[in-house]
Amino acid sequence: MRRPIRIAVTGAAGAISNNLLFKIASGEMMGTDQPVIMQLIEVPGRMEALRGIAMELEDCAFPLLHTITLHDNVEEGFENIHYALLIGAYPRGPGMERRDLLEMNAEIFARQGKALNDFANRDVKILVVGNPANTNALIASRNAPKLSPSQFTALTRLDHNRAKGILANHTGANPKNISRIVVWGNHSTTQYPDLHHATILDEPAMQQISEEWYRSVYIPKVQQRGGEIIAARGQSSAASAAQAIVDHMHDWVLGTSPGEIVSMGIFSDGSYGIQKGIVYSFPVRCDYGRYQIVKGLEINEWGLQQMRLTEQELLDEKSAVNHLLPTATAASHEDLSICLRSGVTLYADGTGPQASSKYLTTNRVL
Ligand code: NAX
């Protein structure tokens, strides 16, 4: 048996977690030989509900579930963790402007960034799910000067999976035979689901659908799927979000399948002309617990416009919270350089777990 790993989950009594925690405990996320310690975090008023979920987890008698601990604050809940799933967030209320939502969540994610910095394991891998996910990831990372920005990611895998599922349904293909979909940009209605590199049974997807359907039906459907689900069931996606979290973390930690591309919200290193300093969904491949951006995909003029549109929204979100971002961490988040040897993004100021040795100038895969 391997040594157990510590996974913290915020918003652990919420709807997504209710679907997610049982998948984690069963080994679906980190592998069926990997015991887990779950450090579950909620706001004080939800601790009793969380205790109920902990009892249910215990009652499943999962062989891989080593320990469950319950916390009403992140400083305690993040202690020594290897993975953080930041799901809890302030929900958008009636009449609330997007700017208000950004500000309310900025406080939560600034505190969580500081707590990760001070209490988590130095190599912690972080996935931000709570909305607005990309900008919350930016805020958390900017508040964690001891961690590398590359340790912070945002969930756009749900958009990626939706893009695949909807294409599979339209073409009659099995989703397992669809590859290389890319979702660019923000986890919002400006995201750009790109099928120009996608294949169905190794043939170009764009040759199997009409351009008209792609632009006027498919793209808006993927972009607005979250809203459509809320309208239909009166609640936002929960089970599919949990599955996407499992897929994101599984691929990041255990690797993408050969030749496959997945979408992850990560700090831009300037690839594809996207401004540095924002968390943007890029096509990535993962290996050895690292991700790298897939370079060199050909983008047509129209596609570039879509990518710019969603980039602009992220830049606007960033300016709305700019006054809350510590200036001390601005440079490390914008001055990025690429290590060619492993293709992993390294940060020029030397942050990142592997970059501290003066003898090690490249980010060697051990
Ligand atoms: P719920 O409202 O069911 O659950 C959220 C839970 O978080 C609540 O139990 C609440 O008490 C807790 N919470 C709030 N602030 C907290 C804090 N500071 N520390 C710890 N716990 C806290 O929401 P749920 O449906 O689970 O969705 C959670 C978040 O995911 C929302 O922000 C939602 O918008 C976002 N989503 C993001 C998606 C993505 O793809 N990035 C897709 C699904 C989802 O919409």
Side-chain angles (χ1 to χ4, degrees), residues 62 79 105 122 129 144 153 185 217 222 236 242 313 332:
F62 288 117
E79 211 157 335
N105 279 302
R122 191 75 168 78
V129 178
T153 64
V217 180
V222 176
S236 63
E313 185 181 46
S332 62

Side-chain angles (χ1 to χ4, degrees), residues 27-85:
E28 209 183 307
M29 186 165 89
M30 294 302 187
T32 47
D33 59 348
Q34 179 60 67
V36 292
I37 297 170
M38 286 186 171
Q39 304 186 187
L40 306 180
I41 306 163
E42 258 296 344
V43 294
R46 295 279 294 158
M47 291 310 287
E48 191 54 15
L50 186 57
R51 206 167 65 84
I53 292 169
M55 285 191 266
E56 279 211 80
L57 279 164
E58 197 176 301
D59 293 350
C60 292
F62 288 117
L64 291 170
L65 184 52
H66 183 281
T67 310
I68 308 170
T69 60
L70 308 184
H71 311 271
D72 66 4
N73 67 88
V74 282
E75 289 73 19
E76 194 184 279
F78 286 166
E79 211 157 335
N80 296 327
I81 52 165
H82 305 100
Y83 301 95
L85 309 178

